[in-house]
Amino acid sequence: MRYIDLSKINPNSPEVIAWKKKAAVHLGNISTLSSHKDRKDYFSKNSFWSDFKPILLNIYGSKCWYSECSLDGSYGDVDHFRPKNKSTALNGTTILPDGYWWLAYDYNNYRLSCEKCNRCYNGGGKNDCFPLKQGSTPAINPQSSDDNILLDPCNQDDYYLIDSDENGDIIAMSTDKYDVSRVETSKKVYNWKEFKEGRKKARLESKTAIEMFEIFYQDNNANGIQKSLEQIKLKIDPKTPYSSFAVKYIYRKISGKPYEAIIKKLLESYT
């Protein structure tokens, strides 16, 4: 899961201002509707959030925020992190029958997603699933809030809760029981097992890149060092599939090495 800094979206850019004006109209319209059916019908006819997708793609690249797979060659969804129609628990029972409808036209609630993460697929898929922390009261209007269990790519603390092992399997980076349960729940809902090979490949390629850099560094080969740094840049570029796992792996591998500062500077420039 990559970390997405939503502050990179310039709210004062002409395209965002134009979108927000139209979104405000849609929100005003839907605020007058009193029934779930009427709101659901309105959403089906006014999926204006899809018009925000080009803005997200331009800023963050063609990559799923949940899995980090490439969206090239696929439709790609603008997922509502807090579901707009209804929200359900893991067992399928309804939590909010009307969902977080007031966030339907709020781009801060949007997450770029591949179909495997967002739609019902092979026993998982986010769709309307949005379980809450035990004891958390569901939000029922814009003035209230609740505590989500699913890891959020737009929350940097959540980003640091996961990594992958040498086999590409997702692992929790916390021993706290609640943190571990959040990772396990997210793993199931987002279908993360389906992207195991991509994470494994990213880790192996990062291992090779670091080993090549170390050889050139030990030989004081300036040309080789530069070329290997370029390879590392490709692996950690935020728009490269599974790059967050490459970044985390490289941070661990360079710890305590004589060239740690060199690579760390490069990593920090990309994260």
Side-chain angles (χ1 to χ4, degrees), residues 206-247:
S206 299
K207 180 176 183 292
T208 299
I210 287 296
E211 288 175 346
M212 290 304 298
F213 175 85
E214 187 167 292
I215 290 171
F216 291 129
Y217 181 85
Q218 291 172 346
D219 291 342
N220 199 26
N221 184 329
N223 186 52
I225 288 174
Q226 187 57 41
K227 286 184 177 180
S228 57
L229 285 175
E230 292 299 322
Q231 286 299 308
I232 294 171
K233 285 182 183 179
L234 291 175
K235 307 304 174 191
I236 66 174
D237 189 309
K239 294 184 179 182
T240 298
Y242 310 106
S243 60
S244 79
F245 297 101
V247 168

Side-chain angles (χ1 to χ4, degrees), residues 177-190:
K177 288 185 178 180
Y178 178 60
D179 287 343
V180 173
S181 71
R182 291 187 67 207
V183 171
E184 291 302 311
T185 299
S186 299
K187 187 189 302 185
K188 178 180 179 181
V189 172
Y190 294 141

Side-chain angles (χ1 to χ4, degrees), residues 101-136:
W101 60 265
W102 59 91
L103 296 176
Y105 300 105
D106 182 350
Y107 70 75
N108 290 291
N109 189 43
Y110 299 165
R111 310 289 185 264
L112 272 179
S113 176
C114 66
E115 290 86 342
K116 285 184 179 180
C117 285
N118 190 37
R119 306 183 192 185
C120 292
Y121 176 85
N122 203 20
K126 182 174 175 288
N127 200 13
D128 295 326
C129 185
F130 197 73
L132 299 177
K133 183 179 181 180
Q134 186 174 5
S136 178

Side-chain angles (χ1 to χ4, degrees), residues 5-157:
D5 181 0
L6 289 175
S7 69
K8 290 183 179 180
I9 300 173
N10 181 2
N12 299 314
S13 68
E15 59 182 352
V16 174
I17 288 175
W19 186 90
K20 288 196 298 182
K21 286 181 179 179
K22 293 180 181 178
V25 172
H26 286 298
L27 179 60
N29 291 340
I30 204 166
S31 296
T32 65
L33 305 177
S34 58
S35 75
H36 173 76
K37 182 181 182 302
D38 287 344
R39 282 193 289 268
K40 188 174 181 179
D41 289 344
Y42 189 91
F43 288 147
S44 67
K45 297 173 183 176
N46 298 278
S47 55
F48 183 60
W49 46 85
S50 62
D51 288 10
F52 205 76
K53 183 162 69 170
I55 297 174
L56 298 176
L57 289 170
N58 182 57
I59 298 173
Y60 302 105
S62 183
K63 187 171 142 179
C64 174
W65 296 4
Y66 297 122
S67 70
E68 290 197 71
C69 75
S70 172
L71 293 179
D72 292 343
S74 67
Y75 175 74
D77 296 333
V78 176
D79 172 51
H80 290 76
F81 184 64
R82 282 178 160 78
K84 64 186 182 298
N85 279 318
K86 70 173 181 177
S87 69
T88 61
L90 280 173
N91 62 7
T93 59
T94 299
I95 299 175
L96 284 175
D98 292 327
Y100 302 82
W101 60 265
W102 59 91
L103 296 176
Y105 300 105
D106 182 350
Y107 70 75
N108 290 291
N109 189 43
Y110 299 165
R111 310 289 185 264
L112 272 179
S113 176
C114 66
E115 290 86 342
K116 285 184 179 180
C117 285
N118 190 37
R119 306 183 192 185
C120 292
Y121 176 85
N122 203 20
K126 182 174 175 288
N127 200 13
D128 295 326
C129 185
F130 197 73
L132 299 177
K133 183 179 181 180
Q134 186 174 5
S136 178
T137 303
I140 56 173
N141 55 49
Q143 286 72 48
S144 56
S145 60
D146 49 30
D147 296 320
N148 52 286
I149 289 178
L150 293 179
L151 299 185
D152 182 3
C154 296
N155 184 324
Q156 195 165 27
D157 290 337

